[in-house]
Amino acid sequence: MKSPPDAWFLRADAGPSERPALASRNQASGYRTVLRTALSLALLLAITPRVALAHSGRPLAPHDAWGAWTWEPVVVLALGAWAALYGRGLAALWRRAGVGAGVSRGEAAAFAAGWLTLAAALVSPLHAIGGVLFSAHMVQHELLVAVAAPLLVLGRPLVAAVWGLPPSWRGTAGDVGRQPLVHGASGSLTHPAVATALHGAALWVGHVPAFYALTLRSELAHAVQHASFLGTALLFWWAVLSPRARGTRAGTGILCLFVTTLHTGALGALIAVSERLWVPAYAATTGPWGLMPLEDQQLAGVLMWVPGSVAYVAAALWLFTCWLRESGRRVEAREAHERARAAALAAAPLLVLVLMLAGCTSETRRAEAREAAYLTGGDPERGRVAIRTYGCATCHTVPGVPGADALVGPPLTGFAERAYVAGVLPNSPANVVRWIRHPREVDSLTAMPDMGVGERDARDLAAYLYTLH
């Protein structure tokens, strides 16, 4: 019988003799081979000399365009590392929890499409053509902020990235993420209003004529421009497209998308209708491409004004659909509540009996809690809080703990009735505490990291688990 997947916390699978250890080692070896291959390819591309953009230092001409790929080492290595980390994490997650768990196939496809768009914008000849055509440079910017960024966000990169880390690092990453300073900073930066303001400021400052002209002369300024565009775009799209934003903050997200559509459209229109050259440096490079400098500028402005707004409008329509769907669910829930209330009133004679049974159930639960506390020396209520503190709810379904409905690891329902802990130890209070504190000493192959649980917290956790019948 195939054993259930490992998790970061308690497992209820069969013993090690039933675990296909050899197959797991072969799979892990295969994923390491894929990772080494991806990193080797990225390194090879990084050390490949850049192709000359033109002959004898002249501006890039149309007949040289297809050979003008840009293999910037930092960019290529960053792209390769990101793809390798995401791929490794996705493989590990799906191997443990099943294909489509945590990150769906559609979300993985969205990330792949976003990564390819990002690579095309930064590595393909479009990057070099952007040095001679304002319109091509604008296409590159729109691909970064309006195509690649939302697709990458929809790919749930943080989930895959965490699973892409070595198992011993995952607990540390979770601890760092829960630090008040880190948690507060990330919450502030991804607040819809803040993210919208930062993204808008980056776009307007990045298109100031003096700074824009500097990006054509300085690789550093060019890198800062692209990093600010992409970084703030990721924050913005995370603020409006994350699962939480699609649910409780859909209305705010729609407003932020509307504001962004307005100010990016205004910036594009300002560039398109200007009678003076926005970036005079392009005046000497557009001729071979069949465009007058002002025509090239007008085309750039129109590209930002009209096609650039499509992504924001499409996202707003999708969020509006999600909002309507969520509103429909709330209406259905309210109607169901009203029907249940009417049924309860109609069954008033049975209400007293139900209350009596509920009182008996409560007394039974209190008795179970007292018994669990006696067996383990812990406090079940503190254990319930500790389950959330140590992140058990991110992997397991735990009855009685709000939000603990994850499906990465096995559910902990009926834990007190189980014969074994982690499939290798008899289910006794001492063994449960031992497993919680030092899981790798019990089973070196487990994916559950040592979370640094103290003796008291371990007893509290065990006490709560023993109330789950």
Side-chain angles (χ1 to χ4, degrees), residues 135-146:
S135 54
H137 209 172
M138 189 64 73
V139 170
Q140 183 187 33
H141 292 169
E142 293 303 317
L143 288 177
L144 290 176
V145 303

Side-chain angles (χ1 to χ4, degrees), residues 89-408:
L90 191 65
L93 176 58
W94 285 0
R95 186 172 67 250
R96 297 290 185 187
V99 176
V103 178
S104 68
R105 287 188 175 92
E107 289 168 339
F111 180 87
W115 187 91
L116 290 173
T117 303
L118 186 62
L122 298 177
V123 177
S124 76
L126 178 63
H127 182 76
I129 299 173
V132 295
L133 288 179
F134 195 178
S135 54
H137 209 172
M138 189 64 73
V139 170
Q140 183 187 33
H141 292 169
E142 293 303 317
L143 288 177
L144 290 176
V145 303
V147 181
L151 288 173
L152 291 171
V153 167
L154 290 174
R156 304 195 71 179
L158 294 183
V159 175
V162 169
W163 278 89
L165 297 173
S168 60
W169 293 10
R170 295 173 190 166
T172 302
D175 291 339
V176 172
R178 287 191 293 270
Q179 292 297 318
L181 181 61
V182 176
H183 186 268
S186 63
S188 298
L189 290 175
T190 56
H191 187 278
V194 175
T196 301
L198 289 175
H199 186 45
L203 290 177
W204 280 83
V205 172
H207 286 88
V208 169
F211 180 74
Y212 206 104
L214 178 62
T215 65
L216 300 179
R217 302 190 305 269
S218 168
E219 287 295 331
L220 177 60
H222 202 182
V224 169
Q225 182 192 51
H226 284 178
S228 65
F229 285 175
L230 180 61
T232 59
L234 290 172
L235 289 176
F236 170 77
W237 288 108
W238 183 271
V240 300
L241 293 184
S242 66
R244 179 187 176 190
R246 297 199 299 266
T248 60
R249 298 195 309 201
T252 303
I254 293 171
L255 177 61
C256 292
L257 286 164
F258 177 71
V259 170
T260 303
T261 302
L262 286 181
H263 77 72
T264 56
L267 178 58
L270 186 62
I271 295 173
V273 302
S274 176
E275 296 182 356
R276 301 179 59 183
L277 288 181
W278 200 268
V279 185
Y282 283 122
T285 59
T286 62
W289 296 83
L291 289 171
M292 297 294 291
L294 201 55
E295 293 174 340
D296 177 45
Q297 176 175 302
Q298 291 169 346
L299 178 58
V302 170
L303 287 170
M304 187 179 192
W305 185 2
V306 182
S309 301
V310 171
Y312 303 110
V313 174
L317 292 175
W318 183 55
L319 277 183
F320 185 69
T321 301
C322 294
W323 196 9
L324 290 179
R325 189 182 301 117
E326 181 65 22
S327 298
R329 283 196 292 265
R330 291 177 181 175
V331 170
E332 292 177 359
R334 190 180 303 112
E335 291 176 349
H337 175 73
E338 292 298 329
R339 288 194 297 268
R341 181 172 177 271
L345 292 175
L350 298 177
L351 183 59
V352 174
L353 178 60
V354 171
L355 292 175
M356 292 176 61
L357 292 175
C360 293
T361 302
S362 299
E363 181 58 33
T364 301
R365 290 177 179 172
R366 285 193 290 269
E368 291 174 351
R370 289 194 295 269
E371 181 182 2
Y374 173 77
L375 290 173
T376 61
D379 184 338
E381 286 304 315
R382 288 202 302 263
R384 188 201 305 267
V385 176
I387 283 176
R388 297 180 63 86
T389 301
Y390 286 100
C392 311
T394 62
C395 288
H396 295 277
T397 296
V398 187
V401 179
D405 54 2
L407 300 176
V408 177

